[in-house]
Amino acid sequence: MSPHFSLNLIGGLATKALKSSPEIAQDLENMADVLGYAYVDPTKFNPLSGEIKAICSYLHSQKVRFEDQLFLKKRISTDLLELNQLYMPKMILLSLVDNIFKHGDYKDPHHPVFIEARMVGAMTPDACFYFRTKNRIQSKLPVKPSGFGIPTITNLLDFYFPGFSLKIEKDSHWFSLNLMIPYGEENPNWPNR
């Protein structure tokens, strides 16, 4: 089945649903956004704004999936949705968020998952992107690794953002991640737009 068929079908269903249930239409649009993003060619220039939009759509879809069993606090700056000229390798941040749902406890109302994404000094020589997550770790059996984990993400970040900083703290109950990416100047390793 082609990606176009799937996305067009979901888009058609969203249009039909708009008349009877705008909420379902929005849910379908977010699902289509996540799927459409997954189909984007990873060798092409991927803007930071695209990764942030995919994360927002993914989180919306997870909220639909888990309804009132998902406890999440997010601080994702909407200004990031405007940063189309800054590069972010596809699925880097989204994989970090997806790991929360693979390994984290997102159903604990007393310890909600925390996700933050923000830019400081956008479009200046000192521009820095900050991405943080914190979540409790599931107590059930661990999920089998997919092969696209923290070591792969670290290698990609090192190639595209040599000045990045990734700090991970983990104990038997908590996992937290703090990522800082300097965006002061373009890296020659970024794909052409």
Side-chain angles (χ1 to χ4, degrees):
M1 191 177 335
S2 81
H4 284 292
F5 173 78
S6 301
L7 295 173
N8 288 338
L9 177 61
I10 294 169
L13 292 171
T15 301
K16 278 185 176 180
L18 192 57
K19 295 174 186 167
S20 58
S21 176
E23 183 180 347
I24 290 175
Q26 184 64 46
D27 296 343
L28 288 167
E29 286 176 18
N30 277 284
M31 184 176 130
D33 286 345
V34 173
L35 287 175
Y37 187 70
Y39 293 135
V40 170
D41 182 349
T43 64
K44 301 234 163 111
F45 185 89
N46 184 62
L48 176 61
S49 60
E51 186 85 358
I52 296 300
K53 183 179 180 192
I55 288 170
C56 292
S57 294
Y58 176 86
L59 291 173
H60 179 95
S61 297
Q62 291 288 25
K63 188 68 176 164
V64 169
R65 178 180 174 202
F66 293 110
E67 296 179 339
D68 59 352
Q69 293 181 23
L70 172 59
F71 296 92
L72 169 70
K73 287 184 180 180
K74 64 178 179 168
R75 273 191 259 158
I76 299 176
S77 172
T78 56
D79 293 345
L80 295 170
L81 295 170
E82 306 300 319
L83 297 176
N84 298 317
Q85 67 282 13
L86 297 178
Y87 179 67
M88 175 57 66
K90 182 182 158 199
M91 305 295 281
I92 294 287
L93 303 175
L94 188 57
S95 294
L96 296 173
V97 172
D98 186 52
N99 279 344
I100 293 168
F101 292 90
K102 286 181 185 172
H103 307 289
D105 181 0
Y106 45 85
K107 294 182 178 183
D108 183 345
H110 302 293
H111 302 99
V113 169
F114 176 74
I115 300 171
E116 178 183 36
R118 63 188 172 91
M119 179 70 73
V120 174
M123 307 319 299
T124 70
D126 298 322
C128 281
F129 171 72
Y130 295 92
F131 185 78
R132 295 187 318 141
T133 68
K134 184 174 183 178
N135 58 274
R136 290 191 47 94
I137 297 172
Q138 285 184 21
S139 57
K140 65 181 184 180
L141 295 174
V143 175
K144 182 180 176 185
S146 67
F148 191 83
I150 299 290
T152 303
I153 289 170
T154 301
N155 288 337
L156 287 166
L157 288 168
D158 190 43
F159 181 74
Y160 291 110
F161 308 103
F164 85 99
S165 166
L166 178 62
K167 293 186 172 123
I168 294 172
E169 294 180 18
K170 181 179 176 183
D171 62 28
S172 59
H173 301 289
W174 289 96
F175 178 88
S176 67
L177 177 143
N178 290 289
L179 171 63
M180 185 279 298
I181 297 175
Y183 270 109
E185 57 187 59
E186 285 193 18
N187 183 310
N189 294 330
W190 292 3
N192 293 327
R193 286 181 203 141

